[in-house]
Amino acid sequence: MTEINLTIDGVPVAVSPGTTVLEAARSAGIFIPTLCHDPELSSPGACRLCVVEIPGLRNLPASCVTTASEGMEVRTSSPAVVEARQTILELLLANHPVDCLTCHKNGNCRLADYAYRYGVREERFHGEKHAYPVEEDNSFIVRDMNKCILCGKCVRMCAEVQGNNVVDFAFRGFNTKVAPALNTGLAGPDADCVFCGNCVAVCPVGALAERDMLGKGRYWEIDRVRTTCPYCGTGCTLDLNVKDGRVIGVTSAADGDVNGRALCVKGRFGYGFIHHPDRLKTPLIKRDGRLEEATWDEALAEIAQRMGTVKAGHGADAVGVFSSARCTNEENYLMMKLARAVFGTNNVDHCARL
Ligand code: FES
C-alpha cells in the first residue's frame, strides 16, 4: 500500500492512506489535545480543540476528522492554533461551574489539564450557567450535567460499544443536554440503562461519576491495581481503586487486554463483597447442626471422606460436581478431570448462567 508522506511541525511522517492528521501526529509522538475524540469511537469533530493549521486551507481544520494527504504540511502549535484552543477552552469554561476544589475529577480532568496547559486562568466570557439538579436517581452513577461539556463520548460509548442507546443529545442551543429518553434520569422507566458505567469511563470531566467513589479519595491518593474480574469466564481487565488498604471502587482502562474500558455492572460496581463483614474467609463445616470455621485441610478431608462414603454406598453416578463460570478454563478442566478420572462420573455441570 502506498504511504502518504506529510510533515507535522517540520517532522516528516509517513502514514497509510485514510489516516487522520491526529493519528499521524500521535504516531510521531506529537501532542494534539482532544476532548470529543476517542480512538475507540466514531469522531464527530465537535469540540474543535484538536484544530491545526494547514497552509492553503482557509480555516483551522479539526485534526481528528481531517485525513492526511500527500505533501500536507501541518502546524499543531502555531499562534493561530494556540489562540483558537484558548478561545475554545474559555468558551467551555464560560458556562462551567469551575468548582474544581470540590470536584471529584480534580487531578484527572481533561478540561482542567488543558486550561492549565494553555494558560486559561480567568473567565473572559461571562455566560449564563446551568442550574441542573444533580441526578442521583440510582445506586451506581451520579450525573451532574452542569459540568457536561457536550463532547458526546458517553452518547457514543453507550450506542457504539454497549449498544444500548440510553442517552443522546436533547433540547437545543444553550439548553442542549445529554439525557435519557424523556429526560427522566437513568433509572427512569424509559431509560433502559443497564448501569454498566461505560459512560462514566469515557467522561473527560466531572459530569459523570461512580456514586460509591464520591468523597472517598482524590485521584492522586488512589492506587490502581490491575486485576481480572472474577465474575465470569470472560476475564475482563479492571483496576481496583485502593486507598488505605481498602478497595473503594473499580475503574477500567483503555489498555485492558480483553475489554478495554467496557465492563458490565457487576464488574464495575459489584465489589462490595470484598470488605463485606459477612464474607466467608474460611471453609465452614457443619457439626451438630452448626457451621464452624475450619481449615482447608480439614474441609478437604471431610469432603473426600463423605464423597467416598456416597460412592461406596450408591455408586459413582450418585456423585456430581458443579463447577463455576467464575473459574478459569484450567480450573474447570481440572474439575472435569476430578469428576471423571477420580470419582468416575460424567455428572459435571457449571453455572454459566450468572
Ligand atoms: Fe477533534 Fe473534538 S477532538 S473535534
Side-chain angles (χ1 to χ4, degrees), residues 154-316:
C154 55
V155 174
R156 282 171 282 137
M157 188 67 166
C158 192
E160 297 170 15
V161 175
Q162 188 63 21
N164 277 24
N165 296 288
V166 170
V167 288
D168 207 336
F169 293 105
F171 310 112
R172 291 288 179 271
F174 178 72
N175 296 321
T176 302
K177 179 188 177 196
V178 173
L182 306 179
N183 195 22
T184 53
L186 292 179
D190 298 301
D192 286 337
C193 180
V194 296
F195 298 104
C196 60
N198 295 332
C199 53
V200 183
V202 294
C203 181
V205 294
L208 303 176
E210 297 91 348
R211 184 176 187 141
D212 277 353
M213 287 181 68
L214 286 179
K216 297 261 177 75
R218 288 303 208 180
Y219 183 76
W220 56 86
E221 298 173 324
I222 299 170
D223 293 324
R224 273 155 283 277
V225 181
R226 181 65 49 99
T227 188
T228 303
C229 179
Y231 273 109
C232 79
T234 305
C236 289
T237 301
L238 51 78
D239 291 336
L240 294 175
N241 285 227
V242 180
K243 186 181 174 219
D244 300 331
R246 292 185 69 82
V247 176
I248 61 167
V250 166
T251 51
S252 51
D255 61 350
D257 288 336
V258 175
N259 52 306
R261 287 163 302 182
L263 286 174
C264 73
V265 61
K266 287 172 289 188
R268 192 180 299 281
F269 296 112
Y271 56 87
F273 67 90
I274 296 174
H275 300 297
H276 199 283
D278 293 344
R279 182 175 178 181
L280 289 179
K281 294 177 180 156
T282 66
L284 301 176
I285 297 178
K286 192 177 258 186
R287 295 188 179 108
D288 300 326
R290 285 185 42 201
L291 289 168
E292 295 176 2
E293 290 190 358
T295 66
W296 278 105
D297 283 347
E298 289 172 322
L300 291 172
E302 182 82 11
I303 292 167
Q305 188 266 322
R306 292 205 189 189
M307 293 287 252
T309 304
V310 171
K311 185 176 171 183
H314 304 280

Side-chain angles (χ1 to χ4, degrees), residues 51-125:
V51 289
V52 292
E53 188 172 348
I54 299 176
L57 295 191
R58 197 155 51 99
N59 297 318
L60 302 177
S63 61
C64 67
V65 289
T66 302
T67 307
S69 60
E70 184 65 29
M72 185 181 259
E73 184 194 334
V74 179
R75 298 169 192 161
T76 70
S77 50
S78 66
V81 167
V82 170
E83 186 183 351
R85 289 181 188 156
Q86 287 171 328
T87 304
I88 290 165
L89 290 167
E90 286 167 336
L91 287 167
L92 285 172
L93 290 168
N95 65 0
H96 191 277
V98 199
D99 59 347
C100 306
L101 288 180
T102 54
C103 181
H104 70 281
K105 223 37 191 316
N106 192 331
N108 186 30
C109 173
R110 284 239 188 137
L111 185 58
D113 290 348
Y114 292 153
Y116 178 80
R117 184 179 189 115
Y118 289 100
V120 178
R121 290 169 202 268
E122 19 182 274
E123 288 185 52
R124 185 151 64 103
F125 306 110

Side-chain angles (χ1 to χ4, degrees), residues 22 33-37 44-51 62-65:
L22 175 67
T34 60
L35 282 173
C36 71
H37 171 78
C47 74
R48 316 306 289 182
L49 198 67
C50 67
V51 289
S63 61
C64 67
V65 289

Side-chain angles (χ1 to χ4, degrees), residues 318-348:
V319 175
V321 302
F322 198 65
S323 189
S324 171
R326 294 176 68 165
C327 297
T328 62
N329 282 342
E330 291 79 4
E331 288 164 335
N332 278 315
Y333 176 81
L334 288 173
M335 185 60 109
M336 180 277 294
K337 274 303 222 192
L338 180 72
R340 295 199 166 120
V342 178
F343 299 149
T345 180
N346 291 322
N347 295 336
V348 186

